[in-house]
Amino acid sequence: MDLTRQQVLLHRIHQHELDRRTSDADELAVFSLGVQDNTAGSALLSLAARLKAPATDDFTVTWSVRGAPHLHRAGELKAFSRALWPWSDADARARAARPKTDDMLAALRHIATAMRSIVTKPMTKGDVSKALTPLAPQQTVEPCRSCGTEHVSDPIFRLGALPAGLRIIPEEKTVTFERIHGWPGVPRKTAGFDELVHRYLTLHGPAGPSEVAGYFGTTVRELKKRWPKEGLVEVKVDGVTAWLPEDVEIADAEPPDVRLLPPTDPYLQARDRDLLLPDKAAQKDVFRILGRRGAILVDGEIAGSWQGKVVSGKRYEVTATPYRPLPDLLPEVELLAQAKGLDDASVKSN
């Protein structure tokens, strides 16, 4: 099968449910990998791009993929923890970005087990870290410039939260953990990673090992060792080899006129950014390392970036940076304002 870039984008828009707004949050396909959140509540805005009445109350927040906060269906967390558990020391070192020890998998298991034992009541991240550091393997502890002490490295700490069976209490202003009840313990081995590859390729495909490895924070070399041997079909995207699940048909969606996608929106998590947004200057604008912007999706293409802020406690103001002439954004901004419980909305352009 030979596909064009436009066919792939329209297919992904359909898979991400951006060509329609539905009523059932629990059935959203993007929850197959979780919906990333940030301190500004970006997950709610991701749901607002897909739902008629967005809300996040029915989902559990924890650090999962790449150690980032994600909303998940509560019933899937145990299986997700097993599927995300590193399958080798090399994989664990890649995900932790810390090649300090040959025994990284054992160190991560030690960390997660200790975190579970420490959090017997709601505790802030700082309190958990303070109690964890004396119990942690020395190779996982490092100096921290910001707090002037030594503690378990932040990436390793984050990777330990889900296998420890900890959730983040969203109502708290600082990161605060509590136990997920009925947790079976730290995984003994990886189980179900093939299914996560399948889910990535369903949402973000066609794609290959490089994109999947980047999404899960491991190396291409390690990912190829776990690449599914069955259930995938090979296709070409503008002449480049990629893969799709064999049970996924290419959808011919009608693109939405406008969607405002927040910086961590699932659609923007695909790792083939040259396909999503070929213009390099635009890529640097949207996918900046610090202060990432949201994307303005117009007729299936990213046509600009945006930033939002609450003004005077009651108005949601969006500043748009257009890459080409944009349609009226105010109706979409009003929907975002409503999702945030605000009475008013406004738009201005850079």
Side-chain angles (χ1 to χ4, degrees):
M1 185 187 301
D2 292 321
L3 301 172
T4 65
R5 172 179 173 272
Q6 185 178 34
Q7 285 177 302
V8 171
L9 291 182
L10 292 179
H11 169 72
R12 290 186 187 176
I13 284 169
H14 180 75
Q15 296 299 104
H16 281 259
E17 294 147 318
L18 291 170
D19 57 343
R20 60 209 185 272
R21 279 190 168 94
T22 64
S23 301
D24 193 346
D26 193 56
E27 294 299 319
L28 284 179
V30 290
F31 277 108
S32 66
L33 291 174
V35 176
Q36 190 171 337
D37 202 7
N38 63 17
T39 54
S42 62
L44 180 64
L45 301 185
S46 290
L47 299 188
R50 296 164 171 86
L51 292 172
K52 296 175 183 176
T56 59
D57 298 344
D58 294 335
F59 301 95
T60 299
V61 184
T62 188
W63 286 335
S64 57
V65 181
R66 302 180 309 280
H70 283 71
L71 271 65
H72 291 278
R73 301 181 184 105
E76 295 184 346
L77 283 173
K78 295 175 186 177
F80 219 86
S81 175
R82 293 190 295 269
L84 280 179
W85 183 253
W87 55 79
S88 68
D89 286 315
D91 180 33
R93 286 193 296 271
R95 299 195 200 196
R98 293 295 188 276
K100 295 175 66 174
T101 175
D102 293 334
D103 301 321
M104 185 60 78
L105 198 55
L108 181 58
R109 178 172 285 106
H110 185 111
I111 292 290
T113 302
M115 290 174 73
R116 180 72 180 183
S117 69
I118 290 167
V119 182
T120 58
K121 61 181 181 179
M123 295 178 67
T124 65
K125 178 189 175 186
D127 287 341
V128 177
S129 179
K130 185 177 180 180
L132 175 64
T133 297
L135 306 176
Q138 187 57 41
Q139 66 267 27
T140 66
V141 177
E142 58 187 25
C144 176
R145 291 182 180 178
S146 62
C147 63
T149 63
E150 290 190 345
H151 55 69
V152 173
S153 78
D154 192 59
I156 297 175
F157 187 97
R158 287 172 174 269
L159 288 176
L162 178 57
L166 304 180
R167 67 181 287 265
I168 295 171
I169 304 175
E171 296 81 12
E172 299 292 340
K173 292 183 178 180
T174 60
V175 176
T176 302
F177 296 102
E178 68 178 1
R179 284 186 170 188
I180 299 171
H181 296 298
W183 197 250
V186 178
R188 297 178 181 177
K189 62 180 181 179
T190 309
F193 187 75
D194 280 12
E195 174 62 22
L196 293 189
V197 175
H198 186 285
R199 293 180 182 189
Y200 180 92
L201 294 176
T202 297
L203 284 174
H204 299 292
S210 176
E211 291 78 32
V212 178
Y215 180 82
F216 289 106
T218 190
T219 64
V220 177
R221 179 178 181 179
E222 284 298 305
L223 192 282
K224 285 183 175 179
K225 297 176 183 178
R226 304 291 299 199
W227 191 250
K229 295 179 173 61
E230 298 178 346
L232 303 181
V233 293
E234 187 176 307
V235 301
K236 298 284 186 181
V237 179
D238 289 339
V240 178
T241 301
W243 285 264
L244 274 174
E246 62 184 10
D247 58 350
V248 172
E249 295 184 4
I250 291 295
D252 185 16
E254 185 69 30
D257 293 337
V258 181
R259 287 289 189 274
L260 296 185
L261 308 181
T264 57
D265 189 83
Y267 184 78
L268 303 177
Q269 296 295 330
R271 286 322 196 239
D272 47 3
R273 291 175 178 172
D274 286 341
L275 187 143
L276 279 181
L277 188 54
D279 185 275
K280 294 295 185 182
Q283 276 189 33
K284 290 180 180 179
D285 181 39
V286 172
F287 300 112
R288 56 184 67 193
I289 297 174
L290 297 176
R292 285 182 62 177
R293 307 261 178 104
I296 303 171
L297 194 66
V298 178
D299 295 330
E301 293 281 357
I302 296 175
S305 68
W306 67 278
Q307 292 175 292
K309 65 179 180 180
V310 178
V311 179
S312 301
K314 63 179 181 179
R315 175 165 55 89
Y316 194 59
E317 180 180 88
V318 161
T319 301
T321 300
Y323 307 146
R324 66 182 197 220
L326 297 174
D328 183 11
L329 302 181
L330 185 58
E332 283 294 311
V333 177
E334 289 174 339
L335 292 176
L336 300 187
Q338 291 171 15
K340 295 176 76 68
L342 300 173
D343 298 327
D344 198 9
S346 62
V347 182
K348 64 180 183 178
S349 293
N350 275 334

